[in-house]
């Protein structure tokens, strides 16, 4: 299983970006999928999460501005980020957790390489 994040870049405050996380070989079977970010000098924090049961959660700082979604036909998870602020700057990581094929009671974490988002004028 591999996750590949892309779509980061430099954007002005108030702008938008859409991050993508391509999941190989398939996005199916994950119990949860999330976007995390790590700002300079800070710990990694969850930004948005999506469970197989359809429950979506957002960090308080991004509620109303970010939207997490998946396209199961393309095996891609997205993070649409609007009204970006300088404090949204950081490295964004996609993450997924799925049960082991041979033991559904045990979950394994998968991380993609981060993509840099910089919000600055």
């Amino acid at each position: 299983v591999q996750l590949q994040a892309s779509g980061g870049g430099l954007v002005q405050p108030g702008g938008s970006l859409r991050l993508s996380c391509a999941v190989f070989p398939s996005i199916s079977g994950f119990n949860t999928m999330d976007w995390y970010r790590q700002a300079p000098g800070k710990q990694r924090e969850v930004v948005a999460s999506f469970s197989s049961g359809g429950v979506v959660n957002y960090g308080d700082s991004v509620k109303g501005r970010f939207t997490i979604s998946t396209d199961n036909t393309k095996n891609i998870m997205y993070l649409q980020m609007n009204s970006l602020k300088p404090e949204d700057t950081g490295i964004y990581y996609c993450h997924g957790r799925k049960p082991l094929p041979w033991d559904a009671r045990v979950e394994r974490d998968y991380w993609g390489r981060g993509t840099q988002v910089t919000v600055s004028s």
Side-chain angles (χ1 to χ4, degrees):
V1 176
Q2 291 186 348
L3 281 64
Q4 294 182 0
S6 62
L10 173 64
V11 62
Q12 293 186 344
S16 297
L17 278 176
R18 188 177 77 162
L19 305 183
S20 299
C21 176
V23 183
F24 302 96
S26 174
I27 203 171
S28 66
F30 282 87
N31 290 339
T32 58
M33 295 207 72
D34 323 277
W35 286 97
Y36 282 75
R37 73 181 176 196
Q38 187 163 19
K42 295 187 178 181
Q43 289 187 335
R44 193 175 297 188
E45 62 175 352
V46 61
V47 174
S49 63
F50 187 87
S51 75
S52 59
V55 178
V56 178
N57 288 295
Y58 295 96
D60 289 340
S61 63
V62 306
K63 283 180 181 177
R65 301 188 297 121
F66 290 11
T67 303
I68 187 173
S69 63
T70 62
D71 185 333
N72 292 344
T73 64
K74 296 181 179 179
N75 296 313
I76 297 177
M77 176 176 66
Y78 298 102
L79 184 68
Q80 178 66 44
M81 305 185 295
N82 300 326
S83 302
L84 283 161
K85 305 175 181 180
E87 51 264 41
D88 294 318
T89 294
I91 301 174
Y92 284 70
Y93 300 88
C94 55
H95 163 263
R97 179 171 292 171
K98 67 185 303 184
L100 295 177
W102 55 87
D103 190 347
R105 298 168 299 176
V106 181
E107 294 179 308
R108 179 175 176 178
D109 292 303
Y110 298 90
W111 291 92
R113 296 182 67 178
T115 183
Q116 176 71 46
V117 172
T118 302
V119 184
S120 175
S121 56

